[in-house]
Amino acid sequence: MKQEKTSSIPRENSLIDMFSRSISYLRLSLTDRCNLRCLYCVTEDESNGSLTRLRHDDLLTYEELLRVVRVAVAMGITKVRLTGGEPLVRRGVLDFIRRLGAIQGLTDIRITTNGVLLEQYGPELYAAGVNKVNISLDSLQPERVAAITGTDCFDQVWRGVETMLALGCAPVKLNMVAMRHINDDEITAFAGLSQRLPLQVRFIEFMPIGASSRWNTDTYIDTDEIMARISTLGELIPLQEGRGDGPAQVFRLGSDAPGTLGFISPISHHFCNRCNRLRLTSSGALRSCLLHDHEVDLRAVLREQFTDTAIAAALLTAIRNKPKGHDLEERIRQTGGDCHGRMSRIGG
Ligand code: SAM
């Protein structure tokens, strides 16, 4: 395949969008496949096993992904997160991560995982330079985890959490999607974990995305309510650290806690004005917003034009189209909870 000299790629700091946001963070969905069927992420059809998956040819190959990342890093991307679907189920992922780690200028590689394979893969991930891990866990009760995910996996996931803590990962973040009547009675138990372990426990507002029919104004709980419930345990001390490093507002629950709490409020206090992200879906579409369906078909560019200049142009088009903010509240008002494309394909 023809590789151009990188001199034809627009240089560093060219990734500024129309609203003066500097884009430095690329999220890669490695696969739409997942070893769990979380009730808020998949449709009923999918949970019966009738999930229509992408064909192998529809996925970007590792070579294609590496090429995109090289171009993006030359333009100013410094941070990449691997997500999915479940990124650790894609064959050859560790070798891919090692090759990613060799890209000069890429200073930060992170992963979001359901943790099922972390006990097994954690040490190699860590050795490959991935020391920042987000693990999704929506309950601390094994039977409830089984009900939410469709798999009896709590013990396995928890061993994954312990593996990453023992390796010295900093931070290990736990992602909990708070849902009324489903797991909201565990909000304070999750917050309490930060008083015992050096974790960042993150409370994520449930979004009407992923074609889940479970979202409605009753199951949705906003950050203000989550924080009010946690405040009954002690003082929430705001921390500056973490600002600019992600969408979470970060607090410590009491001055002695080894861990912290993060609150991610895509609906009630959206962080669009600070958003520095670009996403690449598992089928090779560039999306500049999780909640806007405008996409640039980078796979077609990769397979039909072959040049780094064309890849750079696609990245710039996606960034030029980045909306000022998402319109989820408006859509919820109009439709009661419209659903956007599948989370597993886009990459949560
Ligand atoms: N399989 C990996 C995992 O479980 O972390 C990565 C993909 S998953 C789609 C990424 C994150 O999106 C998870 O933390 C999950 O809880 C979150 N997520 C999925 N659907 C969501 C929804 N409707 N609202 C809020 N967060 C959601």
Side-chain angles (χ1 to χ4, degrees):
M1 191 182 290
K2 188 173 156 227
Q3 291 269 5
E4 291 172 280
K5 284 199 226 89
T6 45
S7 58
S8 54
I9 301 172
R11 299 313 304 169
E12 215 171 310
N13 298 327
S14 53
L15 299 183
I16 308 277
D17 77 1
M18 304 301 276
F19 304 96
S20 305
R21 292 170 297 200
S22 177
I23 311 303
S24 56
Y25 178 12
L26 179 63
R27 293 172 73 101
L28 299 178
S29 173
L30 293 189
T31 175
D32 60 330
R33 295 183 184 229
C34 190
N35 42 359
L36 301 182
R37 293 281 173 275
C38 298
L39 55 82
Y40 53 79
C41 191
V42 299
T43 61
E44 267 91 52
D45 285 357
E46 289 168 359
S47 61
N48 307 334
S50 57
L51 174 58
T52 35
R53 298 204 177 98
L54 292 172
R55 291 176 310 132
H56 189 68
D57 286 354
D58 294 331
L59 289 181
L60 293 191
T61 64
Y62 285 138
E63 287 303 331
E64 288 170 329
L65 285 166
L66 287 164
R67 188 164 183 204
V68 172
V69 175
R70 271 186 214 109
V71 173
V73 168
M75 295 169 77
I77 293 288
T78 54
K79 170 171 161 184
V80 164
R81 177 177 299 280
L82 308 177
T83 179
E86 172 50 42
L88 294 179
V89 300
R90 182 157 173 187
R91 197 172 303 157
V93 66
L94 290 173
D95 188 48
F96 168 67
I97 293 171
R98 283 189 276 269
R99 295 174 70 193
L100 210 51
I103 296 177
Q104 278 205 354
L106 180 58
T107 51
D108 194 341
I109 305 172
R110 305 183 180 203
I111 194 162
T112 298
T113 170
N114 57 37
V116 170
L117 293 169
L118 264 186
E119 186 185 18
Q120 185 185 340
Y121 286 175
E124 284 179 87
L125 274 178
Y126 189 76
V130 181
N131 59 7
K132 297 190 174 90
V133 182
N134 289 14
I135 303 167
S136 304
L137 186 63
D138 300 308
S139 170
L140 300 172
Q141 301 172 15
E143 322 74 60
R144 193 177 270 177
V145 169
I148 293 175
T149 65
T151 305
D152 181 13
C153 61
F154 174 80
D155 290 342
Q156 220 171 328
V157 174
W158 195 256
R159 285 198 301 273
V161 172
E162 289 175 334
T163 300
M164 299 322 281
L165 286 173
L167 284 165
C169 275
V172 174
K173 296 181 182 175
L174 278 194
N175 285 353
M176 186 244 198
V177 179
M179 297 166 283
R180 200 184 308 279
H181 310 308
I182 297 177
N183 62 357
D184 65 315
D185 55 341
E186 294 189 65
I187 286 173
T188 49
F190 267 96
L193 279 180
S194 75
Q195 296 180 303
R196 297 199 304 277
L197 294 168
L199 293 167
Q200 183 176 109
V201 180
R202 296 161 24 119
F203 298 91
I204 304 178
E205 284 180 348
F206 188 18
M207 291 180 280
I209 181 173
S212 168
S213 54
R214 302 290 193 312
W215 193 95
N216 58 52
T217 46
D218 187 32
T219 49
Y220 166 70
I221 310 183
D222 67 21
T223 291
D224 291 351
E225 182 178 340
I226 297 170
M227 287 176 86
R229 292 202 203 177
I230 293 172
S231 306
T232 60
L233 296 179
E235 190 190 358
L236 277 172
I237 304 163
L239 301 179
Q240 282 312 309
E241 71 192 51
R243 269 282 175 218
D245 186 33
Q249 285 176 276
V250 183
F251 294 80
R252 198 177 295 284
L253 180 55
S255 51
D256 297 336
T260 57
L261 302 179
F263 297 90
I264 303 183
S265 324
I267 299 182
S268 67
H269 302 88
H270 67 73
F271 37 85
C272 305
N273 61 338
R274 290 185 291 112
C275 181
N276 60 352
R277 302 156 173 213
L278 190 61
R279 293 169 189 269
L280 184 57
T281 70
S282 49
S283 56
L286 280 170
R287 263 177 103 102
S288 52
C289 173
L290 172 65
L291 300 166
H292 260 269
D293 293 331
H294 189 280
E295 296 183 345
V296 174
D297 187 355
L298 186 59
R299 188 180 65 199
V301 171
L302 280 159
R303 295 184 185 174
E304 288 160 22
Q305 300 189 42
F306 310 119
T307 66
D308 288 350
T309 313
I311 297 169
L315 290 165
L316 290 175
T317 302
I319 287 166
R320 238 189 334 266
N321 289 331
K322 189 171 171 72
K324 185 168 182 202
H326 69 68
D327 59 354
L328 202 50
E329 283 153 299
E330 185 53 33
R331 289 211 201 188
I332 290 168
R333 255 194 302 279
Q334 283 174 9
T335 65
D338 187 13
C339 298
H340 297 249
R342 285 222 325 260
M343 191 72 146
S344 55
R345 175 184 155 270
I346 300 170

